[in-house]
């Protein structure tokens, strides 16, 4: 197993393609050359192939780094950071960061990168993905999952999933990995892990969870687990190959998100009839807020903008014929004309569609995998690809007036179910029990402990 024996320093891409940016420095900073940069408000802009910071002093460099002289006390606040890019909660926030901010001039604008120790990064991740007021055992479980995922990307010896496609005139199958980030280790948004600086770390609980699990990662067969997670599995977690390349990852198997087996439902959910019965019902599950969690718990575990979404376990979207045609054209660039059918051709173990055929009056096309389907059928993203389609025709022709999509879950459904894990914690399960529930066959191992850093 390839693994670090000391805490790594990582780089996080905060923004790409910015025309200019405003940053407020609190505390002493310095450039990569050791020149002091006084605290105050700065405007960062591109000047040819260089970057200039104008404020209490003016600094210019091809790649401008502002390094905190004391990571614990120095702060840098960026204005108008975009979060939830392309998702239904997309918005801009001011966010505060520790460590070093580097501004790189590129052909599309300025890329902003934050460099900091991995454990400091995790404090933000677990309180950005979920609320820092979550039950302590959930925060500990999430710290281990988030640490494992990142270490697997940086040090794991399992072949990396790559952004890929199998595309021709009749079929587009795509999946997405972190390899699109050439200038930094991970991005700050949902494409990798939510990282919103220290703006969301408002309680001691997040820091305690990271300190209590320092250096601990999930291991399977002497490899660091590529631990995935999503907001709500919809009652059944998904397998790796449904979202990424066609390979089996043993610890990312399909798990019923509740004790025992769902005896009243026919399995497997790869069968379309079984999936329809599952999705159009409300089986007991840890992530079923109506069954196992109260509104008070959701208010504590979800960040503020996620609390705007409460129908994640079972949801419904209705499109008119005109609306679905416009969405498909806008999202795929293909003019299908009037849409005749949306037909699931294959499903994963959670009922999520992995191949969907769109048939229109001008052409037909098969799309996949789950994220491509979610992107194509929504102005932002569908909550998940676990849905069934009911077409309603009122005019008597073969082209429906309405398409009613009834769905389950929020996200790809692979690995840890965040809502389910929160409920497990609330019910008294330890972080170990939570992790062994979602990552079957894995074990926990401490990879590093000393508070040292690699550069």
């Amino acid at each position: 197993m390839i693994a670090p024996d000391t805490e790594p320093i990582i780089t996080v891409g905060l923004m790409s393609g910015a025309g200019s940016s405003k940053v407020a420095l609190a505390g002493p900073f310095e450039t990569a050359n050791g020149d002091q940069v006084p605290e105050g408000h700065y405007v960062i802009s591109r000047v040819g192939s260089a970057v200039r910071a104008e404020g209490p002093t003016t600094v210019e460099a091809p790649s401008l780094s502002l390094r905190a002289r004391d990571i614990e006390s120095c702060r840098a606040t960026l204005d108008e950071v975009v979060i939830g890019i392309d998702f239904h909660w997309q918005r801009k926030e001011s966010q505060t960061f520790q460590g070093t901010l580097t501004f790189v001039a590129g052909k599309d604008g300025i890329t902003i990168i934050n460099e900091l120790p991995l454990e400091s990064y995790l404090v933000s991740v677990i309180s950005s993905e979920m609320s820092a007021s979550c039950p302590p055992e959930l925060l500990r479980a999430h710290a281990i999952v988030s640490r494992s995922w990142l270490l697997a990307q940086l040090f794991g010896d399992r072949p990396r999933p790559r952004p890929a496609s199998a595309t021709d005139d009749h079929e587009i199958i795509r999946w997405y990995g972190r390899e699109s980030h050439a200038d930094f280790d991970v991005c700050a948004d949902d494409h990798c892990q939510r990282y919103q600086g220290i703006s969301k770390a408002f309680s001691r609980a997040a820091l305690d969870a990271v300190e209590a699990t320092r250096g601990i990662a999930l291991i399977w067969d002497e490899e660091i687990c590529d631990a995935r997670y999503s907001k709500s599995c919809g009652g059944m977690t998904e397998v790796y190959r449904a979202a990424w390349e066609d390979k089996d990852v043993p610890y990312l198997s399909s798990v019923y998100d509740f004790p025992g087996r769902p005896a009243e439902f026919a399995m497997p959910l790869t069968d379309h009839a079984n999936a329809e019965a599952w999705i159009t019902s409300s089986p007991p599950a840890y992530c079923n807020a109506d069954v196992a969690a109260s509104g008070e718990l959701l208010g504590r575990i979800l960040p503020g903008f996620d609390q705007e979404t409460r129908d994640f376990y079972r949801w419904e979207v209705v499109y008119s014929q005109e609306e679905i045609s416009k969405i498909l054209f806008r999202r795929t660039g293909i003019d299908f004309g009037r849409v005749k059918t949306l037909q699931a051709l294959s499903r994963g173990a959670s009922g999520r569609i992995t191949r969907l055929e769109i048939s229109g009056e001008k052409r037909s096309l098969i799309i996949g995998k789950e994220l491509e389907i979610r992107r194509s059928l929504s102005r932002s993203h569908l909550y998940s690809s676990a849905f069934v389609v009911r077409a309603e025709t009122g005019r008597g022709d073969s082209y429906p007036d309405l398409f009613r999509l009834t769905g389950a879950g929020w996200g790809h459904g692979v690995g840890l179910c965040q809502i389910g894990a929160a409920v497990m914690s609330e019910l008294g399960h330890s972080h170990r029990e939570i992790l062994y529930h979602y990552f079957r066959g894995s074990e926990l191992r401490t990879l590093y402990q000393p508070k040292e850093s690699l550069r």
Side-chain angles (χ1 to χ4, degrees), residues 145-159:
V145 170
S146 293
R147 182 185 296 111
S148 301
W149 176 82
L150 181 53
L151 290 175
Q153 310 313 305
L154 300 181
F155 298 97
D157 54 5
R158 192 173 65 80

Side-chain angles (χ1 to χ4, degrees), residues 272 342-347 351 353-357 387-389:
H272 299 300
L342 300 172
Q343 182 179 1
L345 300 182
S346 63
R347 294 181 182 269
I353 301 172
T354 57
R355 293 173 70 242
L356 177 79
E357 184 175 36
F387 61 85
V388 295
V389 181

Side-chain angles (χ1 to χ4, degrees), residues 136-201:
E137 291 302 300
L138 167 65
L139 294 177
R140 292 186 179 197
H142 213 306
I144 294 171
V145 170
S146 293
R147 182 185 296 111
S148 301
W149 176 82
L150 181 53
L151 290 175
Q153 310 313 305
L154 300 181
F155 298 97
D157 54 5
R158 192 173 65 80
R160 299 274 72 78
R162 299 185 176 184
S165 64
T167 304
D168 57 35
D169 290 340
H170 305 289
E171 187 165 4
I172 298 174
I173 304 296
R174 293 194 181 109
W175 61 93
Y176 302 84
R178 55 173 281 277
E179 283 69 21
S180 58
H181 306 319
D183 299 323
F184 40 84
D185 295 324
V186 290
C187 72
D189 212 22
D190 293 73
H191 179 257
C192 291
Q193 299 190 112
R194 285 184 188 171
Y195 169 69
Q196 297 166 0
I198 60 174
S199 310
K200 301 295 190 300

Side-chain angles (χ1 to χ4, degrees), residues 13 27 67 86 107 111 125 139 151 163 171 192 197 244 264 287 334 357 380 439 448 450-451 455:
R67 180 175 299 163
D86 290 335
K107 62 179 181 179
T111 296
V125 166
L139 294 177
L151 290 175
E171 187 165 4
C192 291
W244 295 283
E264 65 271 34
C287 62
I334 297 171
E357 184 175 36
S380 56
F439 302 96
Y448 57 83
K451 290 193 174 182
R455 283 196 178 274

Side-chain angles (χ1 to χ4, degrees), residues 194-317:
R194 285 184 188 171
Y195 169 69
Q196 297 166 0
I198 60 174
S199 310
K200 301 295 190 300
F202 59 84
S203 86
R204 176 73 192 183
L207 182 58
D208 288 345
V210 172
E211 290 181 343
T213 64
R214 180 179 177 81
I216 297 176
L218 285 160
I219 305 296
W220 186 88
D221 193 26
E222 296 303 309
E223 292 184 11
I224 302 172
C225 291
D226 184 6
R228 304 295 172 116
Y229 57 88
S230 65
K231 194 65 70 182
S232 170
C233 67
M236 188 76 72
T237 68
E238 190 49 85
V239 297
Y240 179 88
R241 65 169 55 240
W244 295 283
E245 76 266 43
D246 292 329
K247 67 182 305 174
D248 294 320
V249 179
Y251 53 83
L252 295 176
S253 58
S254 183
V255 174
Y256 175 42
D257 196 29
F258 210 60
R261 297 177 61 84
E264 65 271 34
F265 293 93
M267 295 289 161
L269 300 184
T270 52
D271 178 87
H272 299 300
N274 295 347
E276 180 171 0
W278 174 267
I279 291 168
T280 56
S281 64
S282 185
Y286 289 126
C287 62
N288 184 346
D290 293 334
V291 175
S294 67
E296 182 273 334
L297 175 61
L298 291 178
R300 284 193 289 121
I301 66 179
L302 294 176
F305 51 86
D306 279 347
Q307 292 187 40
E308 299 167 13
T309 305
R310 289 300 184 100
D311 57 346
F312 49 80
Y313 187 67
R314 292 295 183 268
W315 49 266
E316 185 172 87
V317 175

